[in-house]
């Protein structure tokens, strides 16, 4: 039972038994993500000081201070998950190929693979706007004891055993699901501990916020254009409010709390949209469904899509159930 103000560490231990595969491996995995999140958080918070630190750090021959934050975040998450021998494979938005994690003493005995967008919304770093990290966890399908293969990563979203995100915002939060609802933990930076602040998070069934990059309007499919016009019409509880941060994690987080829809449709310039199925859409879809929301490519459930490549992109409509269903109605009616 989730108790407010419980620490994330306590919550993980208490809920370990309720998870259907109770080897403790998944708990260790979430623990490592918690640790890496704290390290990355520390660095993200210093982003505005980068020039100052860089100048002071010129004596550092490693040049580590100058590293771009998305590369830094990528390295930290990969290091944490490999050093502690937690997973058998990692795929990252920042890496061309997946990484086979060799466990020295057990020889590929780990069961889980992790897929990660280490820094989401990275263009917001320079302007002190919230960014995030997104992660997604699957059980491998190839036999334990052998190196992981591409097929371990190309599983449908419906096979996820855990997913979550960290939002480095006005406060830093870790929000995740293991298939039993969604819980949010807020970091107390003074002591470096995450506390359960948002138990059992749920999307309101209806919402009044739509989040889309309207600068691309001219390139959107007719169904999306009509839906945007519908959001802007004066009728009932409309017009809705438009809010777009440009960092999926932050837009999703706000919409889950307040009620809303996030859209990254295909356009005449990008036939599959921009967002990545494996690192962004599937984990967010799992969280959305666990929070009573919905995630679709405009026509079908995101988590039913069979991935064919690691860096695959897909149109994304996600948020309050009734809003996503309304958008789907428009997509269907005006499908080209
Ligand atoms: P990333 O920083 O990991 O590449 O992801 C950015 C994504 C997503 O977070 C955001 O919603 C979207 O790109 C913004 O794209 P536009 O600038 O095209 O609106
Ligand atoms: Mn991203
Ligand atoms: Mn990214």
């Amino acid at each position: 039972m989730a108790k407010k103000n419980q620490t994330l560490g306590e919550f993980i231990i208490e809920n370990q038994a309720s998870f259907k595969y109770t080897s403790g491996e998944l708990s260790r995995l979430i623990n490592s993500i918690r640790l890496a999140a704290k390290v990355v958080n520390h660095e993200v918070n210093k982003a505005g000081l980068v020039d100052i630190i860089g100048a002071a750090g010129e004596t550092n021959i490693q040049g580590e201070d100058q590293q771009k934050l998305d590369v830094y975040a990528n390295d930290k998450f990969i290091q944490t998950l490999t050093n502690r021998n937690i997973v058998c494979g990692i795929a990252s938005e920042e890496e061309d190929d997946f990484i086979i994690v060799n466990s020295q003493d057990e020889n590929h005995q780990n069961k889980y693979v992790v897929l990660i967008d280490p820094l989401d919304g990275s263009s917001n770093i320079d302007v002190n706007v919230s960014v995030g990290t997104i992660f997604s966890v699957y059980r491998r399908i190839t036999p334990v004891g052998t190196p992981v293969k591409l097929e371990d990563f190309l599983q449908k979203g419906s096979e996820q055993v855990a997913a979550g995100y960290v939002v480095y915002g006005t406060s830093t939060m870790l929000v995740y699901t293991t298939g039993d609802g969604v819980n949010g933990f807020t970091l107390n930076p003074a002591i470096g501990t995450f506390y359960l602040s948002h138990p059992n998070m749920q999307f309101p069934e209806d919402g009044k916020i739509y989040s889309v990059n309207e600068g691309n309007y001219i390139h959107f499919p007719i169904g999306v254009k009509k839906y945007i016009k519908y959001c802007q019409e004066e009728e009932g509880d409309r017009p809705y409010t438009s809010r777009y941060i440009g960092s999926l994690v932050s837009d999703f987080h706000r919409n889950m709390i307040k009620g809303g829809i996030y859209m990254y449709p295909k356009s005449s310039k990008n036939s599959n949209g921009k967002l990545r199925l494996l690192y962004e859409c599937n984990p967010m879809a799992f969280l959305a469904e666990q929070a009573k929301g919905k995630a679709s490519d405009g026509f079908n459930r995101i988590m039913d899509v069979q991935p064919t490549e690691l860096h695959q992109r897909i149109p994304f409509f996600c948020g309050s159930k009734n809003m996503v269903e309304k958008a789907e109605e428009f997509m269907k009616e005006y499908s080209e």
Side-chain angles (χ1 to χ4, degrees), residues 93 117 119-122 213 244 246-248 262 264 274-276 280:
E93 190 195 84
D117 176 356
L119 205 70
D120 171 68
S122 39
N213 186 343
Y244 188 73
S247 147
L248 169 65
Y262 175 95
Y264 210 109
K274 175 185 183 189
L275 300 183
R276 287 75 164 191
E280 292 167 321

